[in-house]
Amino acid sequence: MTRHPLFGLLLATFGALTLTPDALFMRWSGMGGYQMVGWRGLLMGVVMVALWAITSRRRGRDVALLGTGFGLAIVVCQYFNATLFSLGIAHAPVAVMLLAVATVPVFAAIFARLIIGEPTRRATWGTIIVVLFGITLAVFGGKGAVTLTSDALLGALAGLGVAMVLALNFVILRARPDLPIPLLIGLGAALAGVTGVVITGPAQMAEGTVWAIVVCGLIILPVSFFSLSLASRYTHASNVSLLLLLETVLGPLWVWIGVGEGPTPMMLVGGVIVVGSLAIYLWHTGRRRLGLQT
């Protein structure tokens, strides 16, 4: 199955769809930024490191790879991803945060070119432009559009930081398929979690709706990020990043269903543009790859 030309795309799609209800469960938790960092980071770290310990047949070599430049880079990327995403969601409008995260494909294309010399096809660039237009329309178009305040600007900066480290993560894992994904991502998440607990204080960690954040840390985050990271070994990093944008569109819909925050008409129009363009891109890419294989 892993040799099928569409395996990487399908795995990335599964990972992105699994991630889409993440913001809803974060809202349900009612927790602060570093409190969420603590719970999400520690739980995800425990799951990922346990998965590595159970499945790895080369633990000594994996630990050695942890000390390499690329191995440390993955740990650092996951640390800042786990930290900045929770802080951005806690302090800024979700729409602005997700719009900034939507620049992941752009950074992935740039990093792939600089680090591994992998070009990005014109069809991918075209889809990136259409998707970013749809997301911009959803966030800033029409009645109910998001206004840029100081909190919104901080959220945008946090989102851009998340986009950069996610893109770098995907590109490095594509360049170095020997890196142990669960171990590196798990350690990065756990370090972020420890930071969150220290800043929040152990006594305050139990405040809010704990079960909602536990679902994030034990299920949503490990499954989605492992799938997305593994997918980057079988398809271009820009493709994985592009499919990750499903969260930007479907995430607010989950929030609408869960807490009643209805989307504006422009959000629906923008969502149709994003999902439609991604569907066309996947269909076109699938036909192209199947044609090349035959």
Side-chain angles (χ1 to χ4, degrees), residues 49-101:
V49 173
L51 175 64
W52 166 77
I54 293 171
T55 61
S56 178
R57 298 179 181 178
R58 50 176 196 177
R59 295 189 184 93
R61 184 184 176 188
D62 289 347
V63 173
L65 288 171
L66 174 63
T68 64
F70 281 133
L72 290 175
I74 295 297
V75 174
V76 172
C77 283
Q78 184 56 40
Y79 176 90
F80 283 105
N81 170 47
T83 302
L84 292 176
F85 189 82
S86 292
L87 294 180
I89 291 293
H91 297 290
V94 173
V96 172
M97 176 69 183
L98 294 181
L99 175 64
V101 174

Side-chain angles (χ1 to χ4, degrees), residues 11-128:
L11 186 60
T13 301
F14 169 75
L17 290 175
T18 304
L19 189 60
T20 56
D22 187 35
L24 171 61
F25 281 88
M26 294 174 76
R27 284 291 187 87
W28 276 342
S29 75
M31 294 181 177
Y34 274 109
Q35 187 184 4
M36 289 192 291
V37 172
W39 277 106
R40 286 158 59 89
L42 287 178
L43 291 174
M44 179 181 179
V46 168
V47 172
M48 298 298 280
V49 173
L51 175 64
W52 166 77
I54 293 171
T55 61
S56 178
R57 298 179 181 178
R58 50 176 196 177
R59 295 189 184 93
R61 184 184 176 188
D62 289 347
V63 173
L65 288 171
L66 174 63
T68 64
F70 281 133
L72 290 175
I74 295 297
V75 174
V76 172
C77 283
Q78 184 56 40
Y79 176 90
F80 283 105
N81 170 47
T83 302
L84 292 176
F85 189 82
S86 292
L87 294 180
I89 291 293
H91 297 290
V94 173
V96 172
M97 176 69 183
L98 294 181
L99 175 64
V101 174
T103 59
V104 173
V106 178
F107 287 114
I110 294 171
F111 289 150
R113 187 69 175 183
L114 293 175
I115 296 174
I116 58 179
E118 186 175 77
T120 301
R121 296 189 302 117
R122 283 182 292 180
T124 303
W125 278 116
T127 306
I128 289 172

